[in-house]
mmCIF file of all heavy atoms in Angstrom:
data_model
loop_
_atom_site.group_PDB
_atom_site.id
_atom_site.type_symbol
_atom_site.label_atom_id
_atom_site.label_comp_id
_atom_site.label_asym_id
_atom_site.label_seq_id
_atom_site.Cartn_x
_atom_site.Cartn_y
_atom_site.Cartn_z
ATOM 1 N N ALA A 90 -42.865 191.489 197.369
ATOM 2 C CA ALA A 90 -42.186 190.299 197.764
ATOM 3 C C ALA A 90 -42.048 190.057 199.269
ATOM 4 O O ALA A 90 -41.630 190.989 199.935
ATOM 5 C CB ALA A 90 -40.896 190.202 196.991
ATOM 6 N N ALA A 91 -42.308 188.828 199.765
ATOM 7 C CA ALA A 91 -42.235 188.574 201.211
ATOM 8 C C ALA A 91 -40.918 187.931 201.503
ATOM 9 O O ALA A 91 -40.750 187.088 202.384
ATOM 10 C CB ALA A 91 -43.336 187.658 201.604
ATOM 11 N N VAL A 92 -39.851 188.380 200.887
ATOM 12 C CA VAL A 92 -38.535 187.773 201.058
ATOM 13 C C VAL A 92 -37.855 188.395 202.238
ATOM 14 O O VAL A 92 -37.962 189.487 202.396
ATOM 15 C CB VAL A 92 -37.764 188.041 199.740
ATOM 16 C CG1 VAL A 92 -36.278 187.600 199.952
ATOM 17 C CG2 VAL A 92 -38.341 187.375 198.538
ATOM 18 N N ASP A 93 -37.196 187.541 203.118
ATOM 19 C CA ASP A 93 -36.432 188.023 204.247
ATOM 20 C C ASP A 93 -35.079 188.640 203.739
ATOM 21 O O ASP A 93 -34.363 187.904 203.053
ATOM 22 C CB ASP A 93 -36.132 186.903 205.222
ATOM 23 C CG ASP A 93 -35.365 187.382 206.481
ATOM 24 O OD1 ASP A 93 -34.489 188.250 206.405
ATOM 25 O OD2 ASP A 93 -35.875 186.986 207.570
ATOM 26 N N LYS A 94 -34.887 189.933 203.893
ATOM 27 C CA LYS A 94 -33.755 190.587 203.392
ATOM 28 C C LYS A 94 -32.388 190.285 204.101
ATOM 29 O O LYS A 94 -31.383 190.625 203.442
ATOM 30 C CB LYS A 94 -33.934 192.196 203.448
ATOM 31 C CG LYS A 94 -35.113 192.668 202.547
ATOM 32 C CD LYS A 94 -35.420 194.097 202.769
ATOM 33 C CE LYS A 94 -36.637 194.549 202.062
ATOM 34 N NZ LYS A 94 -37.819 193.966 202.618
ATOM 35 N N LEU A 95 -32.408 189.722 205.287
ATOM 36 C CA LEU A 95 -31.139 189.442 205.971
ATOM 37 C C LEU A 95 -30.672 187.987 205.605
ATOM 38 O O LEU A 95 -29.534 187.719 206.073
ATOM 39 C CB LEU A 95 -31.369 189.528 207.438
ATOM 40 C CG LEU A 95 -31.812 190.940 207.911
ATOM 41 C CD1 LEU A 95 -32.096 190.955 209.416
ATOM 42 C CD2 LEU A 95 -30.810 191.939 207.553
ATOM 43 N N LEU A 96 -31.402 187.104 204.907
ATOM 44 C CA LEU A 96 -31.000 185.854 204.603
ATOM 45 C C LEU A 96 -30.728 185.755 203.054
ATOM 46 O O LEU A 96 -31.249 186.546 202.240
ATOM 47 C CB LEU A 96 -32.137 184.864 204.832
ATOM 48 C CG LEU A 96 -32.601 184.786 206.263
ATOM 49 C CD1 LEU A 96 -33.909 183.747 206.382
ATOM 50 C CD2 LEU A 96 -31.407 184.294 207.224
ATOM 51 N N THR A 97 -29.718 184.959 202.704
ATOM 52 C CA THR A 97 -29.427 184.831 201.268
ATOM 53 C C THR A 97 -30.571 184.156 200.564
ATOM 54 O O THR A 97 -31.494 183.636 201.172
ATOM 55 C CB THR A 97 -28.237 183.922 201.019
ATOM 56 O OG1 THR A 97 -28.567 182.558 201.618
ATOM 57 C CG2 THR A 97 -26.964 184.369 201.753
ATOM 58 N N GLY A 98 -30.607 184.066 199.208
ATOM 59 C CA GLY A 98 -31.606 183.335 198.506
ATOM 60 C C GLY A 98 -31.919 181.995 198.974
ATOM 61 O O GLY A 98 -32.889 181.524 199.247
ATOM 62 N N ALA A 99 -30.754 181.221 199.068
ATOM 63 C CA ALA A 99 -30.860 179.793 199.540
ATOM 64 C C ALA A 99 -31.385 179.697 200.926
ATOM 65 O O ALA A 99 -32.244 178.868 201.219
ATOM 66 C CB ALA A 99 -29.412 179.170 199.361
ATOM 67 N N GLU A 100 -30.896 180.602 201.843
ATOM 68 C CA GLU A 100 -31.336 180.491 203.238
ATOM 69 C C GLU A 100 -32.812 180.791 203.328
ATOM 70 O O GLU A 100 -33.524 180.261 204.103
ATOM 71 C CB GLU A 100 -30.530 181.508 204.118
ATOM 72 C CG GLU A 100 -29.136 181.087 204.385
ATOM 73 C CD GLU A 100 -28.197 182.198 204.811
ATOM 74 O OE1 GLU A 100 -28.570 183.382 204.831
ATOM 75 O OE2 GLU A 100 -27.099 181.935 205.362
ATOM 76 N N ASN A 101 -33.399 181.743 202.352
ATOM 77 C CA ASN A 101 -34.822 181.981 202.381
ATOM 78 C C ASN A 101 -35.546 180.718 201.969
ATOM 79 O O ASN A 101 -36.611 180.386 202.729
ATOM 80 C CB ASN A 101 -35.009 183.115 201.417
ATOM 81 C CG ASN A 101 -35.116 184.479 202.053
ATOM 82 O OD1 ASN A 101 -36.102 184.732 202.778
ATOM 83 N ND2 ASN A 101 -34.195 185.279 201.694
#
Side-chain angles (χ1 to χ4, degrees):
V92 173
D93 186 313
K94 293 178 186 63
L95 300 176
L96 301 175
T97 67
E100 286 167 349
N101 264 291

